[in-house]
Amino acid sequence: VTPLEPTVSGQLEFRNLPTRPVPVRISPRTVTKSELEIGAVVIRTAINEVSQHDQLLASVSGSGQLSMTIKSDSQADIQVLIDGLPATFKTIDDQLLIAVPGDLQTHQLDVRVWVDRTEQGLFQAIEPMLHIGPVADEIFWQLSVPFDTHLVWASPSVGRAMQWGFDRWRMTRQPMLSETELASRVFPLNPEVVEWSPMPGGNRYLFSAMDDRSMRVATGSRTVLWLLIASVIVLSTALLTYLPVLRSPLSLVIGLVAFSGLLAIAPDASILVGQVAMLSMVLVVVMLAIRSLVLPTPSRVLTNTRDARGETSSKSRRQPAEYRPPSSISATQSVHPEDVTSTR
């Protein structure tokens, strides 16, 4: 008895009728992620003082079970949609398992997660809660933070899909791709079907990478950055004012090397430092102006020229008779022959 190749429906066909019972063993089929094809992925993260919201959009084709990692210290609220309809899923430890329909068609995957977030001090480390791994063609991460929060550092392995632009009097990061262009990257044939989760207004940043596990950034409050940078500027000015030994080219070289290191490690932070330092110089000018007004200026003593001349003439009259003022020019006198003869 020779069975034919199994069909898509899972049936077995035989060429000849079996003459005796055929033992059949049925076991569940193990589905791996390699049977799923994932195109472009967009992860959107919104941060506020008390919570974090993530949305993952991806185009998935094939059949099987999709697995992704959830990084959360507290209980997360999860919602999974496939083609706009609720889909079945389950969580095992930190793994989220989603059953993809086995019709071998391309589906729109929409995963949304909400989780509570606590304050982390002066600077906050942020990363996506959903990690799909290096299985997608390209991954974009859109980060939204409040207006008074700015990007300070980003992982070197993450690309910045942003450009610098002017917002009134300050420089800001502006994403190079809009949400419409991101939707066309995920679903190039039908981008209007994308349903974006509502995101609050604020500063937005866009990153790209081949593996979302390397996506990590650090942000800081505008007030904290102002206090730190302004304090350093005022302290440096005070040291240079009251310690003359620091007024040397070595101090300038040390400052340039420190700023160059900051520019290489965290270019976003260096731009913020430059902007706040320019504003801090206004405080320095005000401090120097107040110092010049408070400290008394040295006064000049004016003397009478006529009295000075009279004192000089009286001193010259008190000199002895044999006193002869030194002169660098020797006096020359003519000598006659009669004077020489009389001397002999």
Side-chain angles (χ1 to χ4, degrees), residues 84-99:
L85 300 176
T88 58
F89 66 93
K90 61 180 178 179
T91 57
I92 302 177
D93 296 332
D94 60 346
Q95 297 294 316
L96 175 63
L97 305 178
I98 303 173

Side-chain angles (χ1 to χ4, degrees), residues 108-126:
Q108 174 189 350
L109 177 63
D110 186 355
V111 182
R112 306 182 184 188
V113 180
W114 294 266
V115 66
D116 294 335
R117 183 179 179 86
T118 58
E119 292 291 338
Q120 300 181 359
L122 300 180
F123 300 96
Q124 299 185 24
I126 302 175

Side-chain angles (χ1 to χ4, degrees), residues 303-317:
T303 60
N304 193 351
T305 308
R306 183 178 302 174
D307 297 340
R309 291 178 180 177
E311 183 180 358
T312 304
S313 60
S314 62
K315 288 183 180 180
S316 61
R317 285 195 296 268

Side-chain angles (χ1 to χ4, degrees), residues 243-323:
L243 295 179
V245 69
L246 297 178
R247 304 173 192 171
S248 63
L250 180 60
S251 302
L252 179 60
V253 171
I254 293 176
L256 292 177
V257 170
F259 186 77
S260 300
L262 181 63
L263 184 62
I265 297 174
D268 302 280
S270 61
I271 297 298
L272 293 175
V273 169
Q275 296 183 60
V276 179
M278 294 177 62
L279 297 177
S280 301
M281 294 303 295
V282 178
L283 294 179
V284 174
V285 173
V286 173
M287 185 185 69
L288 294 178
I290 295 175
R291 177 175 177 269
S292 62
L293 293 176
V294 171
L295 295 179
T297 57
S299 58
R300 296 181 179 180
V301 179
L302 301 179
T303 60
N304 193 351
T305 308
R306 183 178 302 174
D307 297 340
R309 291 178 180 177
E311 183 180 358
T312 304
S313 60
S314 62
K315 288 183 180 180
S316 61
R317 285 195 296 268
R318 287 196 298 265
Q319 297 295 336
E322 56 273 5
Y323 174 77

Side-chain angles (χ1 to χ4, degrees), residues 10 18-19 24 34 40 56 69 96 99 101 129 142 151 186 189 209 218 249 258 263 293 295 297 326 337:
T19 57
V24 178
S34 60
L56 186 145
T69 304
L96 175 63
M129 289 187 296
Q142 184 189 73
L151 179 67
V186 180
L189 299 179
L263 184 62
L293 293 176
L295 295 179
T297 57

